[in-house]
Amino acid sequence: MGAGMSRGRRRGFGLEASRGMLPLLALQVLMEYGRAGASRPPVTAALLAANTLIYLRPGALHEILPSLARVSFNPQLIIEYGDWVRFFLSPFYHLSESHLFYNMTSLLWKGIQLETSMGSAEFASMVAALLALSQGMTLLMSKGLIFLGDYTAYYDQYAVGFSGVLFAMKVVLNAWSDDFVYLHGMVIPAKYAAWAELILIQVFIPGTSFLGHLGGILAGLVYLWLKRSFNGQDPFTLVVSSITKIVTWPLKFAQKLLRSATSQGRITGRGRVGRRASARETPRGLWRCSTCTYDNSIATDICEMCSTAREDRSFSQRQNHQSGGSDELSVDDIRRRRLQRFDR
């Protein structure tokens, strides 16, 4: 859920003592990502890690990251003073351990479903778009309420939390669902769950940011409208996909080379051990040993791997006469000749 505070209570910003909810969050993540056959979507994992690390501020991050009071969303400071740091960073900050826990468990459930169905690049694009849209909607509504005479309630309110994006994700997730959900004793269509949750949260937890949650719902609806209006991938998704391809290209190229080498045979020394093949399949400048299938240079008549003589017409006849007409070697003979070769 989102959390907001009036300007007069700004000094109360801070982290509460641990209630043991973060280990429970870690356990849920391990259960989802550690089970057999899990999809393990990376963007969802990165968002979970980013929000948690920003809240914990371990080591050097405590000095690097701006304080909670510095990034809290405040419409007046953003509009009148251009403080856009608050616009973009406030969703990743949380007031308390319980605030972080409930938002991250919601992100875990929604993110895995959406990223698995959409793909990581499009999901990352969607999250970025929903963040900008939800913050923008909240900003516009806060400014618009000034004309209704309510200045201090929303325009000068401080708020943080990822819940605006989560409400937008809920709208996208349930947009085409015909299912029903059970919400605080009520059974309602899934597509209206976000609206019902907006009202119930405000009733039971009045300190939350109503405009922030409402902005998230409107952001989800706008996003769906834009997707229907413009078919195909949006430009941000294309950029993310291109960057991903560039970053992963060296790894894919190495994997392709490895698969190619494995399919052609095991490379050893100057030659290659492969399957039995006809003379046409042997590379030019090499001859393939009929015993161990090692490819040898034509400069030698003895196999470098097992010391078997080359089987051309003249040499083969001489070898057959010396060995009593038998050119087949037993497994023990091949093993002994290999040992003799490496003992040279």
Side-chain angles (χ1 to χ4, degrees):
M1 70 192 72
M5 285 190 176
S6 66
R7 187 173 187 178
R9 297 168 60 190
R10 182 175 56 181
R11 297 182 183 274
F13 278 10
L15 305 181
E16 63 180 15
S18 175
R19 297 180 179 178
M21 303 183 80
L22 291 184
L24 182 58
L25 173 62
L27 179 61
Q28 291 188 26
V29 174
L30 288 176
M31 290 177 62
E32 288 292 338
Y33 279 78
R35 59 185 174 86
S39 57
R40 301 180 181 89
V43 177
T44 300
L47 289 172
L48 290 167
N51 280 272
T52 304
L53 287 174
I54 289 175
Y55 175 78
L56 294 175
R57 307 170 69 91
L61 285 180
H62 183 72
E63 301 297 332
I64 297 174
L65 294 173
S67 65
L68 184 69
R70 173 66 186 84
V71 301
S72 298
F73 186 88
N74 182 277
Q76 182 181 19
L77 295 179
I78 295 172
I79 294 175
E80 297 183 8
Y81 298 96
D83 193 351
W84 294 102
V85 171
R86 299 178 183 273
F87 184 92
F88 291 107
L89 293 187
S90 58
F92 300 99
Y93 281 70
H94 292 82
L95 286 174
S96 64
E97 187 171 323
S98 58
H99 186 204
L100 176 71
F101 174 80
Y102 290 118
N103 274 358
M104 293 303 101
T105 52
S106 179
L107 172 61
L108 178 65
W109 181 73
K110 297 181 179 69
I112 288 179
Q113 294 186 76
L114 288 170
E115 186 173 354
T116 302
S117 61
M118 302 172 66
S120 296
E122 187 174 355
F123 177 74
S125 168
M126 183 196 71
V127 171
L130 293 180
L131 188 149
L133 286 172
S134 61
Q135 296 288 82
M137 289 291 180
T138 305
L139 204 64
L140 289 175
M141 288 188 292
S142 300
K143 182 67 174 179
L145 286 173
I146 296 179
F147 300 105
L148 300 178
D150 195 347
Y151 179 85
T152 59
Y154 297 105
Y155 191 61
D156 196 26
Q157 182 186 61
Y158 290 86
V160 292
F162 207 71
S163 56
V165 181
L166 293 174
F167 267 87
M169 290 171 64
K170 181 187 286 289
V171 172
V172 176
L173 182 62
N174 296 326
W176 296 281
S177 175
D178 295 327
D179 296 335
F180 289 82
V181 296
Y182 184 83
L183 188 64
H184 296 283
M186 298 183 299
V187 178
I188 60 175
K191 63 179 65 177
Y192 303 122
W195 293 101
E197 190 173 346
L198 170 68
I199 298 172
L200 290 174
I201 287 178
Q202 198 63 31
V203 170
F204 292 109
I205 313 174
T208 58
S209 175
F210 176 78
L211 284 190
H213 295 170
L214 179 58
I217 294 176
L218 297 178
L221 295 174
V222 171
Y223 178 82
L224 292 173
W225 177 77
L226 291 173
K227 290 290 288 184
R228 286 192 293 264
S229 301
F230 303 97
N231 294 327
Q233 289 185 321
D234 56 275
F236 189 80
T237 301
L238 295 176
V239 170
V240 173
S241 300
S242 301
I243 294 175
T244 303
K245 290 178 181 178
I246 293 173
V247 171
T248 59
W249 178 84
L251 178 60
K252 292 181 179 179
F253 181 73
Q255 291 176 341
K256 184 177 181 181
L257 288 179
L258 182 61
R259 285 195 298 267
S260 177
T262 304
S263 62
Q264 292 180 5
R266 177 169 55 87
I267 306 300
T268 57
R270 290 179 294 169
R272 181 185 67 225
V273 176
R275 59 181 177 85
R276 293 183 182 273
S278 64
R280 294 180 179 178
E281 296 177 341
T282 305
R284 181 176 298 180
L286 299 174
W287 61 273
R288 178 163 295 180
C289 177
S290 61
T291 302
C292 67
T293 70
Y294 185 80
D295 289 344
N296 299 272
S297 171
I298 59 175
T300 178
D301 291 329
I302 303 297
C303 177
E304 295 182 359
M305 179 62 70
C306 66
S307 300
T308 300
R310 180 181 177 184
E311 290 187 349
D312 56 16
R313 293 182 179 179
S314 59
F315 196 81
S316 177
Q317 291 175 358
R318 188 163 59 251
Q319 284 296 104
N320 287 340
H321 177 73
Q322 293 175 357
S323 61
S326 174
D327 58 354
E328 294 293 333
L329 295 177
S330 65
V331 176
D332 292 336
D333 290 336
I334 295 175
R335 186 180 299 110
R336 184 171 60 256
R337 291 189 179 190
R338 286 177 178 172
L339 292 175
Q340 290 174 354
R341 175 183 177 274
F342 290 110
D343 287 341
R344 292 175 183 172

